[in-house]
Amino acid sequence: MLTTLAMLFSLSSTPLLVAEAASSEVDVKLVLAVDTSRSMDFEEVRIQREGYVEALRHKEFIDAVRNGLNGRIAISYFEWAGQVVPGSVIEWTLIETQQDAMAFADALERRPINTQRRTSISAAIAHGAAMIVSSPFSGMRQVIDVSGDGTNNSGNPVAPTRDRAVEAGIVINGLTLMLRPSGAPGGLDKYYADCVIGGPGSFVLPVHKIEDFAIAVRRKLVMEISGLPPPADIHRIADTAKTDCMVGEKQWQDLFDR
């Protein structure tokens, strides 16, 4: 089964290098997939980065890790836009102590801040799924945490990619940056609910003000690590009319047809 999934979500990068990680049982394998497309300005990308660093250092994050059945998680990180950003990957790291979390946050803080063209949520999901199925850890749960501020407009269609990941037992959650109009009918959070997230308990957490980002990230990480159900004010997959999951591609094409 693992071989089949690895073929579906193959990585073109070098093999994962994780010290003392083989056969480690963790409560969750968590991939942080962070949008750095140019629809966000440099200041917004900087605040987004600081939000992740702050959340990873926060006591609530550490407590959530310690309170799990195994008391440890495996976490990785990468940035994406039209593709996964080369050199942005922070490989799988075992988080068991406060020092582990601080070291991971420090590694993220040291990364240069850049933005790139286009938006391929499908590439982010596919890469995150490939990292999960090829991970040396054994996780009780497997989660891809996708943050973004726009619809898929590059690469493969997002919905079929999402479906393959969910079929592989992966939960996909979303954090939508709704600082400006995205062009998604009904809002970017509805687009994510219909086209991006999936799996048992999956949810979308919208952010309307950039200063709220750090709290939102921390809130989402705690829910993902703890396996808690989302509260009523966080959107789950809706029963209302579905969004056109190709809306981003169509809007991009319209720019060239004018």
Side-chain angles (χ1 to χ4, degrees), residues 5 19 62 65 79 134 157 180 192 195 199 216 226 233 257:
L5 296 180
I62 306 300
V65 172
E79 295 168 357
S134 61
R180 54 178 63 87
Y192 261 63
C195 305
S226 305
D233 61 332
D257 293 341

Side-chain angles (χ1 to χ4, degrees), residues 31-35 52 76-80 124 144-148:
V31 178
L32 303 179
V34 178
D35 182 3
Y52 276 97
S76 59
Y77 172 99
F78 65 85
E79 295 168 357
W80 59 275
I144 302 174
D145 179 331
V146 182
S147 67

Side-chain angles (χ1 to χ4, degrees), residues 14-192:
T14 56
L16 299 178
L17 301 175
V18 185
E20 300 179 359
S23 302
S24 293
E25 179 74 23
V26 296
D27 292 308
V28 61
K29 294 193 288 186
L30 177 62
V31 178
L32 303 179
V34 178
D35 182 3
T36 55
S37 58
R38 288 179 183 165
S39 51
M40 291 187 287
D41 61 31
F42 183 84
E43 182 69 7
E44 290 169 349
V45 174
R46 181 186 64 79
I47 293 173
Q48 175 179 247
R49 168 72 61 77
E50 291 174 353
Y52 276 97
V53 170
E54 180 182 325
L56 291 163
R57 289 173 174 163
H58 200 278
K59 183 178 183 297
E60 288 185 13
F61 172 75
I62 306 300
D63 288 346
V65 172
R66 288 172 172 166
N67 290 335
L69 183 63
N70 293 290
R72 57 184 179 268
I73 69 168
I75 192 169
S76 59
Y77 172 99
F78 65 85
E79 295 168 357
W80 59 275
Q83 61 181 357
V84 174
V85 178
S88 73
V89 177
I90 300 178
E91 298 286 7
W92 287 107
T93 301
L94 185 68
I95 305 293
E96 191 169 15
T97 67
Q98 182 177 13
Q99 290 73 25
D100 296 334
M102 292 295 182
F104 189 88
D106 290 347
L108 176 55
E109 188 174 43
R110 289 193 296 268
R111 279 201 41 74
I113 297 175
N114 295 299
T115 59
Q116 299 80 28
R117 297 180 65 249
R118 304 291 295 271
T119 301
S120 183
I121 304 171
S122 59
I125 292 174
H127 191 85
M131 292 186 73
I132 284 174
V133 300
S134 61
S135 165
F137 293 97
S138 175
M140 298 174 63
R141 290 177 289 113
Q142 305 176 126
V143 179
I144 302 174
D145 179 331
V146 182
S147 67
D149 78 330
T151 56
N152 195 78
N153 62 32
S154 179
N156 294 324
V158 65
T161 306
R162 180 268 314 273
D163 294 343
R164 288 196 297 272
V166 171
E167 289 169 3
I170 297 170
V171 173
I172 304 170
N173 295 324
L175 190 153
T176 53
L177 302 177
M178 301 175 65
L179 311 178
R180 54 178 63 87
S182 65
L188 187 63
D189 52 349
K190 186 175 187 307
Y191 172 87
Y192 261 63

